[in-house]
Amino acid sequence: ADACTTMASEYAKVREQCGRVIATFQAVKHQAADMLVATQLATAATWDAARTEHGTPEFELAAAVAASIRSIGDSGVPVFFARGNRDFLLGERFEKATGAHLLPEQHLVSLAGIPTLLLHGDELCTGDVEYQRYRARIRAPRTARRLLALPYVVRRAIAWYLRRKSRDANALKPESIMDVSGEAVVDAFRRHGVKRMVHGHTHRPARHAHAVVGMSCERVVLADWHDRGHYLEIDETGMRERDIAG
């Protein structure tokens, strides 16, 4: 892989197009950078693949988190987990370790007597066609099986690389296409026949009112956890945000 990357780089320095060496073209620079990063990741993964994940700080942290989640369930409080675009590979092993129940991508539930749709929310961002294509590929069962068959360190390297590419791509996208599509929202309300929807992903916390086929509906967008842990509490008296202490 190193040899191929070097050969490609050297060739780009001498190959000319339109009177210029192609190494000066921005698109070629980006491709060369991606090749270099991929090569370095593959090299690191190869050296580390023989390491077992047991006993590593990452494994110990995961075990501690799983035990903490299980303690909530053991105390009599049911725990449900909605997967997002970074933890979509969680499955039966996670359920066994934590005692939590994994929710489907879109889950219907009655909260305080109001039919409510719970979802991650990225499927509503239909204006971002590139992301939706990526989402369809990465969430495919065949892809999931291939990823889970890889050593832990390799999966971590792939995740780091994909997040980096995502940040770079998002920096060039207009804000409008990274938010939910109004049409997708109305379609979800209509298709599921609910009056309330709760989702995250866009992390633009707000409560939105929607009129769907003459019915008043509400869409609640959850905030991220970058600065503090918190949750949304819904009961017969209303809706409120609670901080997680400690």
Side-chain angles (χ1 to χ4, degrees):
D2 280 329
C4 291
T5 302
T6 301
M7 290 173 60
S9 177
E10 294 301 320
Y11 178 74
K13 294 176 183 177
V14 297
R15 175 71 165 85
E16 292 189 4
Q17 184 72 31
C18 301
R20 295 171 54 191
V21 292
I22 62 174
T24 62
F25 297 154
Q26 194 73 8
V28 175
K29 289 181 181 179
H30 287 170
Q31 290 181 347
D34 285 345
M35 286 180 61
L36 177 61
V37 171
T39 300
Q40 294 300 319
L41 288 176
T43 301
T46 300
W47 281 108
D48 290 341
R51 290 175 51 199
T52 174
E53 58 187 82
H54 292 273
T56 64
E58 293 86 356
F59 178 82
E60 299 301 330
L61 174 61
V65 171
S68 180
I69 296 175
R70 175 169 284 280
S71 70
I72 298 174
D74 290 344
S75 70
V77 179
V79 178
F80 299 89
F81 192 95
R83 288 163 287 190
N85 53 353
R86 293 189 181 182
D87 43 28
F88 61 91
L89 289 175
L90 293 179
E92 184 179 349
R93 182 181 174 189
F94 174 82
E95 288 186 308
K96 289 182 178 179
T98 62
H101 304 280
L102 292 175
L103 296 177
E105 286 192 3
Q106 298 186 350
H107 182 65
L108 294 177
V109 63
S110 178
L111 297 178
I114 299 177
T116 303
L117 175 64
L118 305 179
L119 66 166
H120 176 62
D122 59 346
E123 63 266 56
L124 302 174
C125 301
T126 55
D128 192 346
V129 177
E130 181 183 356
Y131 173 77
Q132 293 299 329
R133 288 173 178 166
Y134 159 78
R135 184 181 186 277
R137 292 196 305 271
I138 202 70
R139 301 278 185 102
R142 181 180 181 184
T143 303
R145 288 193 297 270
R146 288 181 172 180
L147 288 172
L148 290 173
L150 297 171
Y152 170 74
V153 290
V154 178
R155 299 198 304 269
R156 282 291 300 268
I158 293 174
W160 177 88
Y161 180 61
L162 290 177
R163 283 199 296 270
R164 172 183 173 274
K165 291 199 68 175
S166 176
R167 286 195 298 268
D168 292 345
N170 288 344
L172 301 176
K173 294 177 182 178
E175 286 289 325
S176 58
I177 71 168
M178 291 190 290
D179 200 357
V180 299
S181 160
E183 292 181 357
V185 169
V186 170
D187 177 67
F189 272 122
R190 184 186 296 115
R191 185 155 34 88
H192 294 282
V194 298
K195 298 184 64 176
R196 181 166 55 204
M197 179 187 305
V198 180
H199 71 81
H201 181 66
T202 62
H203 301 312
R204 301 176 183 185
R207 295 174 66 174
H208 303 271
H210 299 270
V212 182
V213 195
M215 181 173 60
S216 296
C217 300
E218 181 179 35
R219 179 171 61 90
V220 183
V221 184
L222 304 176
D224 58 43
W225 278 31
H226 291 166
D227 302 317
R228 61 186 177 88
H230 54 280
Y231 62 93
L232 186 67
E233 180 182 82
I234 301 176
D235 58 24
E236 289 76 8
T237 63
M239 184 184 309
R240 63 202 65 85
E241 187 178 283
R242 302 287 194 190
D243 287 337
I244 298 177

